[in-house]
Amino acid sequence: MTNLLKDNLTETQERIKYWARGYKSQPNEYSYEIDRIEGFIPTELQGTLFRNGVGLFEINGEKIGHPFDGDGMVCAITFNQGKAHFKNRYVRTEGYLKEQEAGEILYRGFGTQKSGGWLANIFDTKFKNAANTNVMYWGGKLWAMWEGGHPHQLDPKNLETIGLDDVNGLLESHESFSAHPRIIDNTFINFGVTGVTSQSLVISELDNRGNKLKKHSHPLKDFVFFHDMLATPNYYIFIQHPFNVSPLPFLLGFKTIEQCFNYNPKQPTKIIVISRQGNHDMEILETESFFGFHHGNAWEKDGKIYLETICSNFFPKKKQAELDFTQIDFDEFPNGKMWEFELNLAEQTVTRKQLIERRCEFPSVHPNWVGQEHSYLYMNVNRTVGENGALQAIMKLDKKSGEKQIWSSTSNLFPGEPVFIPHPQGIAEDDGWIISMVYDGVQHQSYLIILDAKDITKEIGKLYLKHHIPHGFHGTWTPEVFN
Ligand code: CO
């Protein structure tokens, strides 16, 4: 495989080539015991890691326009008594089935148009529910989640698609259920945004059986693009980055909706704080402009609210280039860094401080510390300060001491989201493991890495898959083993 590269490529060009290979489709569905293991699987590591991401980047050779628009392919890695079993399966969404049968792109997406020019796209605002962003097990159901529609329910034993789920009657047909819920005190909190030109924010809470505890709706004045949310015992928090959208070229079929997004760095970013109690009163605070997809954690302390979020000074557009094998521009990658904000509702003030120098993505914390003041934050970061492009290291930030532990890969390995898995008898916040799916661009193959969450420089186990898994999005852990 190393012959792929000519000797005269720079290190950055080489990285781009190998990163780009992670956008090759994985059309196959597998189910097998993982038999190539370096190190070991701790016997206490008992349960299932589910992961979601795009598996197909073209339909019958026709490329999709944006990596957010590909069909969701869910992986399940079952850990049982020191062994691991891998399986992956496409979510049989309506769009997946119809496009596979037709052999062409039938739906518009965030950054995808149907072929045939504007006439083929005019007034078509129906996106494909790609079921590709996250996968969670809650209330006895496994959901493949996508922020613009209902979740798809899957059978956790074999990943077969059961169908669209209305969450025990919670969701009306036009309502959506985001891919970024927060779970606090065994309560599942999620949101959905409906509409494009006139939007509403719908927030819901579910008990541990998946039944509705609360559901309330908030009309929105300005255009919002909420991908993630935060929650504390008393508040829901949303970050409204300064976008406006001019939807006419989208409606007329000339542009994708992504091309109609305008990020305005001269406008403030708004922090929307909504009470979880009473009438769910809303307060809006303003801060300097920034954009970011993902938040870390939020908590309350001494009458104030604290939150962590990734702050970037631009919105990454023209992502089509990422699907071109040779033309990825690492300077176009999100350049977000992790910041901590302090909100004082009584005085209506916001202050903020930067936590790390490196670019980062996919922050995670111990699930029992969601909504509480925590010590440790895990995330993908660049290997060095000032480097751009793909995030090839994982950082554990100790917020109290400022110590930073780094697990760093060689130049052509690309780790995905670090998922925190609690030790079943654990007490301390870092009793557990970090697991990440690593794409090896040279071998065009993936492996799972198990790190000790106390010291993430320690590799406990490497579990080699027989094939590659494309760069993915999000996943979650459940201590349940499904046989
Ligand atoms: Co996300």
Side-chain angles (χ1 to χ4, degrees):
M1 288 296 183
T2 45
N3 293 337
L4 176 82
L5 295 177
K6 295 193 178 108
D7 292 330
N8 59 359
L9 291 182
T10 65
E11 200 261 339
T12 301
Q13 287 170 325
E14 187 181 290
R15 267 198 311 143
I16 287 170
K17 281 245 175 189
Y18 285 128
W19 165 260
R21 301 182 84 197
Y23 282 121
K24 279 182 172 280
S25 296
Q26 175 51 272
N28 302 318
E29 296 179 323
Y30 298 93
S31 177
Y32 56 87
E33 201 78 25
I34 299 174
D35 56 11
R36 192 178 153 211
I37 296 172
E38 275 174 29
F40 69 101
I41 301 169
T43 50
E44 302 91 342
L45 183 58
Q46 186 83 3
T48 311
L49 177 70
F50 292 106
R51 295 210 48 75
N52 203 349
V54 170
L56 287 179
F57 297 92
E58 67 278 309
I59 309 294
N60 196 21
E62 191 183 350
K63 277 189 180 178
I64 58 170
H66 195 289
F68 292 178
D69 296 331
D71 292 302
M73 185 187 79
V74 171
C75 300
I77 302 96
T78 306
F79 296 89
N80 194 5
Q81 298 175 351
K83 294 185 171 169
H85 183 278
F86 174 86
K87 59 174 100 66
N88 70 309
R89 200 165 166 84
Y90 279 89
V91 186
R92 265 59 173 182
T93 65
E94 183 189 4
Y96 172 85
L97 294 170
K98 284 189 173 167
E99 288 185 328
Q100 289 303 310
E101 194 185 337
E104 61 176 325
I105 293 174
L106 299 176
Y107 298 83
R108 302 177 83 182
F110 181 66
T112 298
Q113 297 274 70
K114 295 184 281 185
S115 64
W118 65 273
L119 270 173
N121 290 281
I122 187 168
F123 301 136
D124 182 355
T125 57
K126 190 176 186 296
F127 288 179
K128 173 169 69 176
N129 180 337
N132 63 10
T133 317
N134 202 348
V135 53
M136 298 185 89
Y137 184 72
W138 186 259
K141 288 180 181 176
L142 182 65
W143 288 316
M145 306 170 89
W146 179 73
E147 68 193 27
H150 288 197
H152 281 77
Q153 190 185 347
L154 311 179
D155 183 333
K157 291 192 182 77
N158 53 25
L159 302 181
E160 279 178 14
T161 303
I162 296 167
L164 282 169
D165 187 43
D166 70 0
V167 189
N168 297 342
L170 177 85
L171 301 174
E172 294 179 34
S173 60
H174 69 285
E175 290 178 330
S176 56
F177 199 60
S178 100
H180 277 287
R182 297 275 165 172
I183 297 167
I184 300 181
D185 296 334
N186 229 4
T187 300
F188 187 99
I189 304 169
N190 202 0
F191 71 97
V193 175
T194 57
V196 175
T197 48
S198 169
Q199 295 176 305
S200 291
L201 169 66
V202 181
I203 302 171
S204 55
E205 299 197 16
L206 308 176
D207 66 17
N208 63 4
R209 299 173 71 182
N211 292 317
K212 180 176 87 173
L213 294 169
K214 290 178 191 174
K215 181 181 177 186
H216 43 99
S217 181
H218 303 263
L220 297 163
K221 271 192 223 140
D222 307 317
F223 175 76
V224 303
F225 174 51
F226 294 151
H227 176 70
D228 198 356
M229 73 173 295
L230 289 158
T232 67
N234 291 299
Y235 300 100
Y236 317 100
I237 304 160
F238 295 86
I239 302 200
Q240 183 182 349
H241 307 105
F243 281 104
N244 54 56
V245 64
S246 321
L248 197 60
F250 167 72
L251 294 172
L252 294 178
F254 291 107
K255 288 185 174 181
T256 66
I257 191 72
E258 184 212 8
Q259 290 168 319
C260 299
F261 274 36
N262 298 306
Y263 172 65
N264 187 345
K266 296 202 175 80
Q267 294 289 320
T269 285
K270 294 176 182 170
I271 303 176
I272 300 174
V273 181
I274 299 172
S275 172
R276 285 179 67 192
Q277 326 299 342
N279 294 326
H280 306 298
D281 294 334
M282 179 190 285
E283 299 208 50
I284 301 176
L285 303 177
E286 293 190 352
T287 185
E288 291 129 273
S289 177
F290 66 86
F291 173 74
F293 284 104
H294 296 122
H295 313 314
N297 197 14
W299 62 98
E300 300 165 32
K301 189 181 178 184
D302 303 332
K304 293 175 188 146
I305 301 170
Y306 294 83
L307 66 91
E308 298 150 345
T309 189
I310 298 174
C311 300
S312 166
N313 60 10
F314 73 101
F315 175 65
K317 279 179 106 166
K318 290 181 249 159
K319 292 285 270 294
Q320 279 91 335
E322 279 187 25
L323 295 173
D324 187 321
F325 193 72
T326 54
Q327 292 184 25
I328 292 170
D329 182 356
F330 274 172
D331 290 326
E332 283 285 313
F333 263 57
N335 65 355
K337 294 175 180 171
M338 186 60 73
W339 289 68
E340 181 180 303
F341 288 69
E342 180 189 283
L343 314 181
N344 185 330
L345 292 183
E347 295 178 11
Q348 295 280 298
T349 57
V350 180
T351 54
R352 66 181 195 171
K353 65 177 182 189
Q354 189 174 334
L355 295 180
I356 56 168
E357 287 296 315
R358 299 178 200 222
R359 295 175 175 204
C360 67
E361 248 305 345
F362 296 138
S364 71
V365 299
H366 188 304
N368 293 355
W369 269 262
V370 173
Q372 305 289 332
E373 185 179 19
H374 64 118
S375 298
Y376 306 115
L377 188 62
Y378 304 88
M379 59 205 132
N380 292 121
V381 294
N382 278 132
R383 284 178 302 170
T384 56
V385 175
E387 187 183 61
N388 61 0
L391 307 177
Q392 296 185 274
I394 298 171
M395 177 186 281
K396 175 189 181 184
L397 173 65
D398 182 334
K399 297 191 66 186
K400 301 227 162 84
S401 71
E403 187 202 349
K404 299 175 186 81
Q405 286 175 3
I406 304 274
W407 174 85
S408 186
S409 66
T410 59
S411 59
N412 297 309
L413 295 171
F414 304 97
E417 177 190 54
V419 177
F420 186 94
I421 298 171
H423 190 290
Q425 283 91 43
I427 295 164
E429 193 189 316
D430 56 358
D431 281 339
W433 304 274
I434 292 291
I435 298 195
S436 171
M437 179 85 82
V438 181
Y439 172 69
D440 180 335
V442 178
Q443 300 299 323
H444 190 49
Q445 196 175 2
S446 297
Y447 64 85
L448 284 150
I449 186 133
I450 305 172
L451 305 173
D452 183 346
K454 281 212 182 298
D455 179 357
I456 67 162
T457 64
K458 273 191 197 155
E459 295 182 358
I460 294 176
K462 271 188 192 173
L463 286 56
Y464 289 90
L465 306 186
K466 299 178 189 298
H467 46 79
H468 87 291
I469 296 294
H471 303 299
F473 298 129
H474 301 289
T476 51
W477 171 260
T478 171
E480 305 236 9
V481 172
F482 303 97
N483 286 314

